[in-house]
Amino acid sequence: MSTTTTTSRTAPAPSSLAASVKFKTFATAFSISGPVIYCVIQFFNWPLFTFHPATDRLVWGYEAARSGEGPNMLWYGWTATTILIAAALGIIAMMLPERISRKIPLALVWIFPILAIPYVIYSLMPWWTHP
Amino acid sequence: MTGLISTNTFWTLWLFVHLILAVGLLGALTHQAMAVALPVRQPAGGIVTRFRAVPAAGYATAVCVLWVLTFLVGSYIYTKYRIYIRIPLEQGGYYKTGGFFDFKEHVATIGLVLLPAYWYFWKNAQNPEYGNARKGVTLVLAVMCWFLFIVGHVLNNTRGFAS
């Protein structure tokens, strides 16, 4: 008679990435800082690149829409800048001693995105107040 | 794609792919959010109970993959939105509609950056240390997903498929 019943009911062990304390620190630092960085990037208008969809032109950094060449698109660049900076902060956080990284409040992962929403709505004020 | 399908059909198909991915994401996240917000203590029951009684942890990777795929396809068709949808919206004076699309793009990015922690918390669902954070981030992502879906739906009604 086999006695594997208990084993089969045990919760599966997390994968190596999910079991990694380093990855936990990276993931939480990335996700906590991401919404804040995105708001800052958008406020100061620091896209990594600007895309001009009418001409399929991609330029580094910010470039205003040029006359006769249609609109510019900054959102791709804002997103790219945010991911790069958040990833860098995540890597820096991984280098911290565990006694410090363990103190990062996990609740900030869902509190910061909620706090970001009022700013996002405010930043879109020209749309809401356009006559 | 010249000769096979028209340019209009090409972009309409991509918009449809975006919709299908979004529906999958919305379903997975809603199941998971219900399971985490109103966990079922006893099995069986009615349809609502069964809706909440899913093995929520198994959805985490699928949610991450679907969010990224929906994001990428949305980013791809966004270039056409910027020229062929937004400009006519502005010319027609639909500023609040345009504003809600910009709101949607910001929310999509904020949701995207939450995924690593969300995935980690669910992959360690047996650890009570992550219980509150897992619940919080799942509910935030579910609300975001519903917002993104509804705004996308309204925008599509305003000027979407085949326009």
mmCIF file of all heavy atoms in Angstrom, chain A residues 18 23-24 30-31 38 42 51 54 71 73 75-76 79 106 109-110 120-121 124 127-128 130, chain B residues 71 75 78-79 82 86 90 95-96 99 102-103 105-106 109 113-114 117 120 123-124 130 136:
data_model
loop_
_atom_site.group_PDB
_atom_site.id
_atom_site.type_symbol
_atom_site.label_atom_id
_atom_site.label_comp_id
_atom_site.label_asym_id
_atom_site.label_seq_id
_atom_site.Cartn_x
_atom_site.Cartn_y
_atom_site.Cartn_z
ATOM 1 N N ALA A 18 10.284 32.146 -7.428
ATOM 2 C CA ALA A 18 9.317 32.515 -6.397
ATOM 3 C C ALA A 18 9.834 32.217 -4.994
ATOM 4 O O ALA A 18 9.326 32.762 -4.020
ATOM 5 C CB ALA A 18 8.000 31.785 -6.635
ATOM 6 N N PHE A 23 14.673 37.887 -5.288
ATOM 7 C CA PHE A 23 13.632 38.276 -6.244
ATOM 8 C C PHE A 23 12.485 38.974 -5.533
ATOM 9 O O PHE A 23 11.900 39.916 -6.075
ATOM 10 C CB PHE A 23 13.104 37.072 -7.023
ATOM 11 C CG PHE A 23 12.028 37.460 -8.003
ATOM 12 C CD1 PHE A 23 12.365 38.134 -9.175
ATOM 13 C CD2 PHE A 23 10.688 37.214 -7.738
ATOM 14 C CE1 PHE A 23 11.369 38.534 -10.073
ATOM 15 C CE2 PHE A 23 9.698 37.616 -8.634
ATOM 16 C CZ PHE A 23 10.040 38.267 -9.802
ATOM 17 N N LYS A 24 12.178 38.515 -4.326
ATOM 18 C CA LYS A 24 11.128 39.193 -3.561
ATOM 19 C C LYS A 24 11.483 40.664 -3.356
ATOM 20 O O LYS A 24 10.649 41.553 -3.537
ATOM 21 C CB LYS A 24 10.946 38.517 -2.201
ATOM 22 C CG LYS A 24 9.929 39.212 -1.313
ATOM 23 C CD LYS A 24 10.237 39.015 0.146
ATOM 24 C CE LYS A 24 9.513 40.042 0.983
ATOM 25 N NZ LYS A 24 9.941 40.034 2.374
ATOM 26 N N PHE A 30 10.518 47.159 -7.113
ATOM 27 C CA PHE A 30 10.092 47.556 -8.458
ATOM 28 C C PHE A 30 8.640 48.016 -8.442
ATOM 29 O O PHE A 30 8.297 49.083 -8.968
ATOM 30 C CB PHE A 30 10.264 46.364 -9.406
ATOM 31 C CG PHE A 30 9.899 46.637 -10.843
ATOM 32 C CD1 PHE A 30 10.864 47.028 -11.757
ATOM 33 C CD2 PHE A 30 8.596 46.486 -11.279
ATOM 34 C CE1 PHE A 30 10.531 47.277 -13.080
ATOM 35 C CE2 PHE A 30 8.255 46.740 -12.598
ATOM 36 C CZ PHE A 30 9.219 47.128 -13.496
ATOM 37 N N SER A 31 7.777 47.220 -7.819
ATOM 38 C CA SER A 31 6.338 47.518 -7.860
ATOM 39 C C SER A 31 5.959 48.684 -6.952
ATOM 40 O O SER A 31 5.000 49.396 -7.241
ATOM 41 C CB SER A 31 5.543 46.264 -7.479
ATOM 42 O OG SER A 31 5.721 45.258 -8.447
ATOM 43 N N TYR A 38 6.556 56.695 -12.262
ATOM 44 C CA TYR A 38 5.758 57.035 -13.442
ATOM 45 C C TYR A 38 5.158 58.437 -13.300
ATOM 46 O O TYR A 38 5.191 59.227 -14.259
ATOM 47 C CB TYR A 38 4.652 56.003 -13.660
ATOM 48 C CG TYR A 38 3.857 56.267 -14.913
ATOM 49 C CD1 TYR A 38 4.396 56.002 -16.168
ATOM 50 C CD2 TYR A 38 2.573 56.808 -14.853
ATOM 51 C CE1 TYR A 38 3.679 56.262 -17.326
ATOM 52 C CE2 TYR A 38 1.854 57.071 -16.006
ATOM 53 C CZ TYR A 38 2.410 56.789 -17.236
ATOM 54 O OH TYR A 38 1.700 57.063 -18.381
ATOM 55 N N GLN A 42 6.160 61.551 -15.669
ATOM 56 C CA GLN A 42 5.132 62.231 -16.441
ATOM 57 C C GLN A 42 5.090 63.717 -16.078
ATOM 58 O O GLN A 42 4.935 64.567 -16.949
ATOM 59 C CB GLN A 42 3.780 61.565 -16.166
ATOM 60 C CG GLN A 42 2.719 61.927 -17.186
ATOM 61 C CD GLN A 42 1.379 62.205 -16.528
ATOM 62 O OE1 GLN A 42 1.237 62.149 -15.301
ATOM 63 N NE2 GLN A 42 0.398 62.512 -17.336
ATOM 64 N N PHE A 51 7.925 59.078 -30.033
ATOM 65 C CA PHE A 51 7.542 58.441 -31.299
ATOM 66 C C PHE A 51 6.602 59.365 -32.063
ATOM 67 O O PHE A 51 5.671 59.923 -31.483
ATOM 68 C CB PHE A 51 6.865 57.095 -31.016
ATOM 69 C CG PHE A 51 6.453 56.359 -32.256
ATOM 70 C CD1 PHE A 51 7.395 55.977 -33.207
ATOM 71 C CD2 PHE A 51 5.119 56.057 -32.494
ATOM 72 C CE1 PHE A 51 7.024 55.306 -34.363
ATOM 73 C CE2 PHE A 51 4.737 55.381 -33.646
ATOM 74 C CZ PHE A 51 5.692 55.010 -34.578
ATOM 75 N N ALA A 54 2.896 59.495 -37.389
ATOM 76 C CA ALA A 54 2.575 59.795 -38.793
ATOM 77 C C ALA A 54 3.766 59.531 -39.707
ATOM 78 O O ALA A 54 3.600 59.189 -40.881
ATOM 79 C CB ALA A 54 2.106 61.240 -38.920
ATOM 80 N N PRO A 71 1.144 64.333 -34.816
ATOM 81 C CA PRO A 71 1.382 64.429 -33.364
ATOM 82 C C PRO A 71 2.614 63.620 -32.922
ATOM 83 O O PRO A 71 3.130 62.793 -33.676
ATOM 84 C CB PRO A 71 0.113 63.818 -32.775
ATOM 85 C CG PRO A 71 -0.337 62.834 -33.816
ATOM 86 C CD PRO A 71 0.044 63.408 -35.141
ATOM 87 N N MET A 73 4.113 61.085 -29.679
ATOM 88 C CA MET A 73 3.607 60.181 -28.637
ATOM 89 C C MET A 73 4.679 59.987 -27.576
ATOM 90 O O MET A 73 5.794 59.567 -27.884
ATOM 91 C CB MET A 73 3.204 58.828 -29.235
ATOM 92 C CG MET A 73 2.049 58.942 -30.215
ATOM 93 S SD MET A 73 1.597 57.353 -30.942
ATOM 94 C CE MET A 73 0.725 56.584 -29.591
ATOM 95 N N TRP A 75 3.920 58.508 -24.331
ATOM 96 C CA TRP A 75 3.586 57.456 -23.357
ATOM 97 C C TRP A 75 4.544 56.270 -23.424
ATOM 98 O O TRP A 75 4.957 55.740 -22.393
ATOM 99 C CB TRP A 75 2.142 57.005 -23.573
ATOM 100 C CG TRP A 75 1.741 55.838 -22.745
ATOM 101 C CD1 TRP A 75 1.500 55.836 -21.408
ATOM 102 C CD2 TRP A 75 1.530 54.498 -23.191
ATOM 103 N NE1 TRP A 75 1.136 54.564 -21.001
ATOM 104 C CE2 TRP A 75 1.150 53.731 -22.081
ATOM 105 C CE3 TRP A 75 1.614 53.875 -24.444
ATOM 106 C CZ2 TRP A 75 0.861 52.379 -22.173
ATOM 107 C CZ3 TRP A 75 1.319 52.531 -24.532
ATOM 108 C CH2 TRP A 75 0.955 51.791 -23.399
ATOM 109 N N TYR A 76 4.938 55.864 -24.631
ATOM 110 C CA TYR A 76 5.891 54.749 -24.744
ATOM 111 C C TYR A 76 7.186 55.104 -24.003
ATOM 112 O O TYR A 76 7.762 54.282 -23.294
ATOM 113 C CB TYR A 76 6.229 54.471 -26.216
ATOM 114 C CG TYR A 76 5.065 54.094 -27.087
ATOM 115 C CD1 TYR A 76 4.637 54.941 -28.103
ATOM 116 C CD2 TYR A 76 4.412 52.885 -26.924
ATOM 117 C CE1 TYR A 76 3.582 54.593 -28.927
ATOM 118 C CE2 TYR A 76 3.356 52.532 -27.741
ATOM 119 C CZ TYR A 76 2.939 53.396 -28.744
ATOM 120 O OH TYR A 76 1.893 53.048 -29.551
ATOM 121 N N THR A 79 6.778 55.127 -20.225
ATOM 122 C CA THR A 79 6.731 53.751 -19.708
ATOM 123 C C THR A 79 8.131 53.138 -19.680
ATOM 124 O O THR A 79 8.523 52.496 -18.691
ATOM 125 C CB THR A 79 5.780 52.898 -20.574
ATOM 126 O OG1 THR A 79 4.478 53.491 -20.553
ATOM 127 C CG2 THR A 79 5.682 51.474 -20.063
ATOM 128 N N LEU A 106 5.178 45.945 2.714
ATOM 129 C CA LEU A 106 4.580 45.331 1.520
ATOM 130 C C LEU A 106 3.271 46.003 1.123
ATOM 131 O O LEU A 106 2.884 45.972 -0.044
ATOM 132 C CB LEU A 106 4.356 43.834 1.764
ATOM 133 C CG LEU A 106 5.614 43.009 2.089
ATOM 134 C CD1 LEU A 106 5.256 41.554 2.316
ATOM 135 C CD2 LEU A 106 6.662 43.140 0.992
ATOM 136 N N VAL A 109 2.776 48.303 -1.967
ATOM 137 C CA VAL A 109 2.550 47.792 -3.326
ATOM 138 C C VAL A 109 1.139 48.144 -3.817
ATOM 139 O O VAL A 109 0.945 48.390 -5.000
ATOM 140 C CB VAL A 109 2.778 46.264 -3.382
ATOM 141 C CG1 VAL A 109 2.351 45.688 -4.717
ATOM 142 C CG2 VAL A 109 4.246 45.940 -3.133
ATOM 143 N N TRP A 110 0.157 48.166 -2.936
ATOM 144 C CA TRP A 110 -1.200 48.533 -3.386
ATOM 145 C C TRP A 110 -1.605 49.949 -2.945
ATOM 146 O O TRP A 110 -2.525 50.520 -3.531
ATOM 147 C CB TRP A 110 -2.233 47.504 -2.921
ATOM 148 C CG TRP A 110 -2.345 47.298 -1.438
ATOM 149 C CD1 TRP A 110 -1.640 46.423 -0.674
ATOM 150 C CD2 TRP A 110 -3.211 47.990 -0.532
ATOM 151 N NE1 TRP A 110 -2.008 46.519 0.639
ATOM 152 C CE2 TRP A 110 -2.980 47.472 0.749
ATOM 153 C CE3 TRP A 110 -4.177 48.996 -0.695
ATOM 154 C CZ2 TRP A 110 -3.657 47.931 1.888
ATOM 155 C CZ3 TRP A 110 -4.849 49.446 0.428
ATOM 156 C CH2 TRP A 110 -4.583 48.914 1.697
ATOM 157 N N VAL A 120 -2.876 61.446 -11.368
ATOM 158 C CA VAL A 120 -3.106 61.185 -12.802
ATOM 159 C C VAL A 120 -4.328 61.969 -13.284
ATOM 160 O O VAL A 120 -4.296 62.598 -14.350
ATOM 161 C CB VAL A 120 -3.284 59.663 -13.042
ATOM 162 C CG1 VAL A 120 -3.826 59.398 -14.432
ATOM 163 C CG2 VAL A 120 -1.958 58.940 -12.859
ATOM 164 N N ILE A 121 -5.388 61.951 -12.474
ATOM 165 C CA ILE A 121 -6.609 62.692 -12.861
ATOM 166 C C ILE A 121 -6.292 64.183 -12.958
ATOM 167 O O ILE A 121 -6.688 64.859 -13.913
ATOM 168 C CB ILE A 121 -7.747 62.430 -11.846
ATOM 169 C CG1 ILE A 121 -8.175 60.960 -11.925
ATOM 170 C CG2 ILE A 121 -8.934 63.348 -12.099
ATOM 171 C CD1 ILE A 121 -9.116 60.513 -10.813
ATOM 172 N N LEU A 124 -4.458 65.314 -16.031
ATOM 173 C CA LEU A 124 -5.265 65.324 -17.258
ATOM 174 C C LEU A 124 -6.265 66.484 -17.270
ATOM 175 O O LEU A 124 -7.196 66.492 -18.083
ATOM 176 C CB LEU A 124 -6.009 63.992 -17.399
ATOM 177 C CG LEU A 124 -5.117 62.754 -17.554
ATOM 178 C CD1 LEU A 124 -5.931 61.475 -17.384
ATOM 179 C CD2 LEU A 124 -4.414 62.764 -18.904
ATOM 180 N N TRP A 127 -7.896 68.104 -20.332
ATOM 181 C CA TRP A 127 -8.968 67.367 -21.012
ATOM 182 C C TRP A 127 -10.310 67.639 -20.346
ATOM 183 O O TRP A 127 -11.331 67.807 -21.008
ATOM 184 C CB TRP A 127 -8.718 65.855 -20.948
ATOM 185 C CG TRP A 127 -7.642 65.355 -21.845
ATOM 186 C CD1 TRP A 127 -6.369 65.004 -21.493
ATOM 187 C CD2 TRP A 127 -7.726 65.098 -23.258
ATOM 188 N NE1 TRP A 127 -5.677 64.556 -22.595
ATOM 189 C CE2 TRP A 127 -6.492 64.593 -23.678
ATOM 190 C CE3 TRP A 127 -8.762 65.240 -24.199
ATOM 191 C CZ2 TRP A 127 -6.238 64.241 -24.992
ATOM 192 C CZ3 TRP A 127 -8.516 64.891 -25.518
ATOM 193 C CH2 TRP A 127 -7.258 64.396 -25.906
ATOM 194 N N TRP A 128 -10.306 67.658 -18.994
ATOM 195 C CA TRP A 128 -11.585 67.781 -18.268
ATOM 196 C C TRP A 128 -12.164 69.187 -18.361
ATOM 197 O O TRP A 128 -13.379 69.357 -18.292
ATOM 198 C CB TRP A 128 -11.427 67.403 -16.785
ATOM 199 C CG TRP A 128 -10.610 66.176 -16.489
ATOM 200 C CD1 TRP A 128 -9.579 66.074 -15.591
ATOM 201 C CD2 TRP A 128 -10.742 64.866 -17.063
ATOM 202 N NE1 TRP A 128 -9.070 64.800 -15.593
ATOM 203 C CE2 TRP A 128 -9.756 64.035 -16.484
ATOM 204 C CE3 TRP A 128 -11.582 64.313 -18.024
ATOM 205 C CZ2 TRP A 128 -9.594 62.697 -16.820
ATOM 206 C CZ3 TRP A 128 -11.414 62.980 -18.371
ATOM 207 C CH2 TRP A 128 -10.445 62.186 -17.771
ATOM 208 N N HIS A 130 -11.525 71.486 -20.781
ATOM 209 C CA HIS A 130 -11.547 72.090 -22.119
ATOM 210 C C HIS A 130 -12.960 72.588 -22.429
ATOM 211 O O HIS A 130 -13.924 71.852 -22.243
ATOM 212 C CB HIS A 130 -11.116 71.061 -23.167
ATOM 213 C CG HIS A 130 -10.656 71.698 -24.440
ATOM 214 N ND1 HIS A 130 -11.522 72.279 -25.336
ATOM 215 C CD2 HIS A 130 -9.421 71.857 -24.968
ATOM 216 C CE1 HIS A 130 -10.840 72.758 -26.361
ATOM 217 N NE2 HIS A 130 -9.561 72.520 -26.161
ATOM 218 N N PHE B 71 -1.299 44.581 -23.042
ATOM 219 C CA PHE B 71 -0.557 45.854 -23.032
ATOM 220 C C PHE B 71 0.195 46.034 -24.356
ATOM 221 O O PHE B 71 0.159 47.104 -24.968
ATOM 222 C CB PHE B 71 0.418 45.827 -21.853
ATOM 223 C CG PHE B 71 1.141 47.120 -21.601
ATOM 224 C CD1 PHE B 71 0.629 48.068 -20.720
ATOM 225 C CD2 PHE B 71 2.348 47.399 -22.214
ATOM 226 C CE1 PHE B 71 1.300 49.247 -20.476
ATOM 227 C CE2 PHE B 71 3.026 48.574 -21.974
ATOM 228 C CZ PHE B 71 2.501 49.501 -21.101
ATOM 229 N N SER B 75 -0.520 48.702 -27.152
ATOM 230 C CA SER B 75 0.527 49.673 -27.521
ATOM 231 C C SER B 75 0.704 49.716 -29.040
ATOM 232 O O SER B 75 0.966 50.779 -29.609
ATOM 233 C CB SER B 75 1.864 49.282 -26.887
ATOM 234 O OG SER B 75 1.733 49.206 -25.502
ATOM 235 N N TYR B 78 -2.180 51.549 -30.588
ATOM 236 C CA TYR B 78 -2.263 52.914 -30.070
ATOM 237 C C TYR B 78 -1.787 53.937 -31.101
ATOM 238 O O TYR B 78 -2.304 55.046 -31.190
ATOM 239 C CB TYR B 78 -1.437 53.007 -28.780
ATOM 240 C CG TYR B 78 -1.492 54.323 -28.039
ATOM 241 C CD1 TYR B 78 -2.524 55.227 -28.220
ATOM 242 C CD2 TYR B 78 -0.497 54.649 -27.124
ATOM 243 C CE1 TYR B 78 -2.562 56.417 -27.521
ATOM 244 C CE2 TYR B 78 -0.521 55.830 -26.417
ATOM 245 C CZ TYR B 78 -1.560 56.719 -26.630
ATOM 246 O OH TYR B 78 -1.588 57.888 -25.927
ATOM 247 N N THR B 79 -0.806 53.538 -31.921
ATOM 248 C CA THR B 79 -0.283 54.482 -32.926
ATOM 249 C C THR B 79 -1.396 54.910 -33.878
ATOM 250 O O THR B 79 -1.457 56.070 -34.291
ATOM 251 C CB THR B 79 0.864 53.850 -33.729
ATOM 252 O OG1 THR B 79 0.389 52.636 -34.324
ATOM 253 C CG2 THR B 79 2.049 53.536 -32.840
ATOM 254 N N ARG B 82 -3.906 57.235 -32.160
ATOM 255 C CA ARG B 82 -3.423 58.614 -32.004
ATOM 256 C C ARG B 82 -3.751 59.478 -33.216
ATOM 257 O O ARG B 82 -4.027 60.681 -33.086
ATOM 258 C CB ARG B 82 -1.906 58.602 -31.739
ATOM 259 C CG ARG B 82 -1.300 59.956 -31.458
ATOM 260 C CD ARG B 82 -1.883 60.567 -30.198
ATOM 261 N NE ARG B 82 -1.419 61.930 -29.959
ATOM 262 C CZ ARG B 82 -1.974 63.003 -30.489
ATOM 263 N NH1 ARG B 82 -3.020 62.887 -31.292
ATOM 264 N NH2 ARG B 82 -1.509 64.210 -30.211
ATOM 265 N N ARG B 86 -8.057 59.756 -32.150
ATOM 266 C CA ARG B 86 -7.989 60.892 -31.224
ATOM 267 C C ARG B 86 -8.183 62.230 -31.937
ATOM 268 O O ARG B 86 -8.879 63.111 -31.409
ATOM 269 C CB ARG B 86 -6.649 60.885 -30.485
ATOM 270 C CG ARG B 86 -6.527 62.041 -29.519
ATOM 271 C CD ARG B 86 -5.369 61.894 -28.584
ATOM 272 N NE ARG B 86 -4.846 63.195 -28.215
ATOM 273 C CZ ARG B 86 -3.842 63.382 -27.381
ATOM 274 N NH1 ARG B 86 -3.257 62.347 -26.821
ATOM 275 N NH2 ARG B 86 -3.414 64.585 -27.103
ATOM 276 N N GLU B 90 -11.005 64.982 -31.001
ATOM 277 C CA GLU B 90 -10.746 66.375 -30.622
ATOM 278 C C GLU B 90 -11.493 67.330 -31.553
ATOM 279 O O GLU B 90 -12.054 68.331 -31.104
ATOM 280 C CB GLU B 90 -9.241 66.658 -30.674
ATOM 281 C CG GLU B 90 -8.469 65.955 -29.568
ATOM 282 C CD GLU B 90 -6.970 66.153 -29.676
ATOM 283 O OE1 GLU B 90 -6.531 66.890 -30.585
ATOM 284 O OE2 GLU B 90 -6.240 65.573 -28.882
ATOM 285 N N TYR B 95 -13.686 65.965 -25.753
ATOM 286 C CA TYR B 95 -12.454 66.063 -24.963
ATOM 287 C C TYR B 95 -12.441 65.121 -23.763
ATOM 288 O O TYR B 95 -11.407 64.543 -23.437
ATOM 289 C CB TYR B 95 -12.228 67.518 -24.522
ATOM 290 C CG TYR B 95 -11.897 68.405 -25.700
ATOM 291 C CD1 TYR B 95 -12.839 69.268 -26.240
ATOM 292 C CD2 TYR B 95 -10.642 68.349 -26.308
ATOM 293 C CE1 TYR B 95 -12.548 70.052 -27.342
ATOM 294 C CE2 TYR B 95 -10.346 69.127 -27.412
ATOM 295 C CZ TYR B 95 -11.303 69.977 -27.925
ATOM 296 O OH TYR B 95 -11.008 70.735 -29.025
ATOM 297 N N LYS B 96 -13.579 64.976 -23.124
ATOM 298 C CA LYS B 96 -13.609 64.083 -21.947
ATOM 299 C C LYS B 96 -13.371 62.633 -22.381
ATOM 300 O O LYS B 96 -12.717 61.858 -21.674
ATOM 301 C CB LYS B 96 -14.923 64.230 -21.188
ATOM 302 C CG LYS B 96 -15.010 65.564 -20.445
ATOM 303 C CD LYS B 96 -16.241 65.675 -19.596
ATOM 304 C CE LYS B 96 -16.237 66.973 -18.804
ATOM 305 N NZ LYS B 96 -16.216 68.185 -19.648
ATOM 306 N N GLY B 99 -9.796 62.363 -22.877
ATOM 307 C CA GLY B 99 -9.142 62.383 -21.568
ATOM 308 C C GLY B 99 -9.187 61.030 -20.886
ATOM 309 O O GLY B 99 -8.214 60.597 -20.263
ATOM 310 N N ASP B 102 -6.474 58.816 -22.221
ATOM 311 C CA ASP B 102 -5.166 59.088 -21.612
ATOM 312 C C ASP B 102 -5.106 58.540 -20.181
ATOM 313 O O ASP B 102 -4.079 58.025 -19.735
ATOM 314 C CB ASP B 102 -4.886 60.597 -21.616
ATOM 315 C CG ASP B 102 -4.311 61.053 -22.951
ATOM 316 O OD1 ASP B 102 -4.560 60.360 -23.964
ATOM 317 O OD2 ASP B 102 -3.618 62.092 -22.988
ATOM 318 N N PHE B 103 -6.230 58.654 -19.472
ATOM 319 C CA PHE B 103 -6.336 58.081 -18.126
ATOM 320 C C PHE B 103 -6.084 56.573 -18.206
ATOM 321 O O PHE B 103 -5.342 55.995 -17.406
ATOM 322 C CB PHE B 103 -7.745 58.385 -17.604
ATOM 323 C CG PHE B 103 -7.954 58.174 -16.127
ATOM 324 C CD1 PHE B 103 -9.195 58.448 -15.549
ATOM 325 C CD2 PHE B 103 -6.932 57.717 -15.289
ATOM 326 C CE1 PHE B 103 -9.419 58.266 -14.198
ATOM 327 C CE2 PHE B 103 -7.140 57.527 -13.937
ATOM 328 C CZ PHE B 103 -8.391 57.798 -13.393
ATOM 329 N N GLU B 105 -4.350 54.895 -20.443
ATOM 330 C CA GLU B 105 -2.954 54.537 -20.731
ATOM 331 C C GLU B 105 -2.106 54.627 -19.454
ATOM 332 O O GLU B 105 -1.243 53.777 -19.211
ATOM 333 C CB GLU B 105 -2.371 55.411 -21.854
ATOM 334 C CG GLU B 105 -2.167 56.869 -21.462
ATOM 335 C CD GLU B 105 -1.528 57.718 -22.547
ATOM 336 O OE1 GLU B 105 -1.424 57.253 -23.692
ATOM 337 O OE2 GLU B 105 -1.136 58.866 -22.232
ATOM 338 N N HIS B 106 -2.375 55.636 -18.630
ATOM 339 C CA HIS B 106 -1.619 55.762 -17.372
ATOM 340 C C HIS B 106 -1.907 54.588 -16.440
ATOM 341 O O HIS B 106 -0.995 54.019 -15.831
ATOM 342 C CB HIS B 106 -1.962 57.076 -16.662
ATOM 343 C CG HIS B 106 -1.600 58.307 -17.440
ATOM 344 N ND1 HIS B 106 -0.451 58.416 -18.175
ATOM 345 C CD2 HIS B 106 -2.256 59.485 -17.612
ATOM 346 C CE1 HIS B 106 -0.409 59.604 -18.747
ATOM 347 N NE2 HIS B 106 -1.500 60.268 -18.426
ATOM 348 N N THR B 109 -0.115 51.358 -17.476
ATOM 349 C CA THR B 109 1.311 51.311 -17.116
ATOM 350 C C THR B 109 1.481 51.080 -15.617
ATOM 351 O O THR B 109 2.324 50.274 -15.195
ATOM 352 C CB THR B 109 2.018 52.611 -17.527
ATOM 353 O OG1 THR B 109 1.961 52.720 -18.946
ATOM 354 C CG2 THR B 109 3.473 52.620 -17.083
ATOM 355 N N VAL B 113 3.502 47.745 -13.806
ATOM 356 C CA VAL B 113 4.637 47.710 -12.883
ATOM 357 C C VAL B 113 4.298 46.998 -11.559
ATOM 358 O O VAL B 113 5.196 46.699 -10.778
ATOM 359 C CB VAL B 113 5.216 49.125 -12.596
ATOM 360 C CG1 VAL B 113 5.733 49.759 -13.873
ATOM 361 C CG2 VAL B 113 4.189 50.037 -11.933
ATOM 362 N N LEU B 114 3.017 46.737 -11.328
ATOM 363 C CA LEU B 114 2.640 46.001 -10.115
ATOM 364 C C LEU B 114 2.808 44.494 -10.277
ATOM 365 O O LEU B 114 2.808 43.740 -9.292
ATOM 366 C CB LEU B 114 1.178 46.291 -9.740
ATOM 367 C CG LEU B 114 0.791 47.740 -9.471
ATOM 368 C CD1 LEU B 114 -0.677 47.817 -9.069
ATOM 369 C CD2 LEU B 114 1.655 48.346 -8.372
ATOM 370 N N ALA B 117 5.486 42.075 -8.150
ATOM 371 C CA ALA B 117 5.132 41.810 -6.748
ATOM 372 C C ALA B 117 3.877 40.958 -6.665
ATOM 373 O O ALA B 117 3.802 40.033 -5.844
ATOM 374 C CB ALA B 117 4.929 43.129 -5.996
ATOM 375 N N TYR B 120 4.836 37.414 -7.324
ATOM 376 C CA TYR B 120 5.588 36.839 -6.190
ATOM 377 C C TYR B 120 4.642 36.491 -5.032
ATOM 378 O O TYR B 120 4.740 35.413 -4.438
ATOM 379 C CB TYR B 120 6.676 37.805 -5.721
ATOM 380 C CG TYR B 120 7.507 37.206 -4.623
ATOM 381 C CD1 TYR B 120 8.604 36.413 -4.923
ATOM 382 C CD2 TYR B 120 7.166 37.400 -3.283
ATOM 383 C CE1 TYR B 120 9.344 35.814 -3.917
ATOM 384 C CE2 TYR B 120 7.902 36.809 -2.275
ATOM 385 C CZ TYR B 120 8.998 36.022 -2.586
ATOM 386 O OH TYR B 120 9.718 35.433 -1.596
ATOM 387 N N LYS B 123 2.662 33.412 -5.884
ATOM 388 C CA LYS B 123 3.466 32.191 -5.952
ATOM 389 C C LYS B 123 3.879 31.735 -4.552
ATOM 390 O O LYS B 123 4.362 30.622 -4.376
ATOM 391 C CB LYS B 123 4.710 32.422 -6.825
ATOM 392 C CG LYS B 123 4.390 32.451 -8.303
ATOM 393 C CD LYS B 123 3.870 31.101 -8.764
ATOM 394 C CE LYS B 123 3.078 31.188 -10.036
ATOM 395 N NZ LYS B 123 2.477 29.893 -10.414
ATOM 396 N N ASN B 124 3.702 32.614 -3.565
ATOM 397 C CA ASN B 124 3.951 32.259 -2.177
ATOM 398 C C ASN B 124 2.645 32.405 -1.384
ATOM 399 O O ASN B 124 2.633 32.944 -0.271
ATOM 400 C CB ASN B 124 5.051 33.156 -1.594
ATOM 401 C CG ASN B 124 6.401 32.844 -2.210
ATOM 402 O OD1 ASN B 124 7.073 31.903 -1.810
ATOM 403 N ND2 ASN B 124 6.788 33.607 -3.232
ATOM 404 N N TYR B 130 2.344 37.457 3.355
ATOM 405 C CA TYR B 130 1.991 38.207 2.148
ATOM 406 C C TYR B 130 0.480 38.322 1.941
ATOM 407 O O TYR B 130 0.041 38.858 0.929
ATOM 408 C CB TYR B 130 2.608 37.544 0.910
ATOM 409 C CG TYR B 130 4.090 37.310 1.010
ATOM 410 C CD1 TYR B 130 4.643 36.082 0.656
ATOM 411 C CD2 TYR B 130 4.944 38.306 1.470
ATOM 412 C CE1 TYR B 130 6.005 35.856 0.767
ATOM 413 C CE2 TYR B 130 6.305 38.086 1.584
ATOM 414 C CZ TYR B 130 6.826 36.859 1.235
ATOM 415 O OH TYR B 130 8.164 36.642 1.353
ATOM 416 N N GLY B 136 -4.600 43.089 -1.382
ATOM 417 C CA GLY B 136 -4.655 44.497 -1.804
ATOM 418 C C GLY B 136 -4.273 44.679 -3.265
ATOM 419 O O GLY B 136 -5.002 45.316 -4.036
#
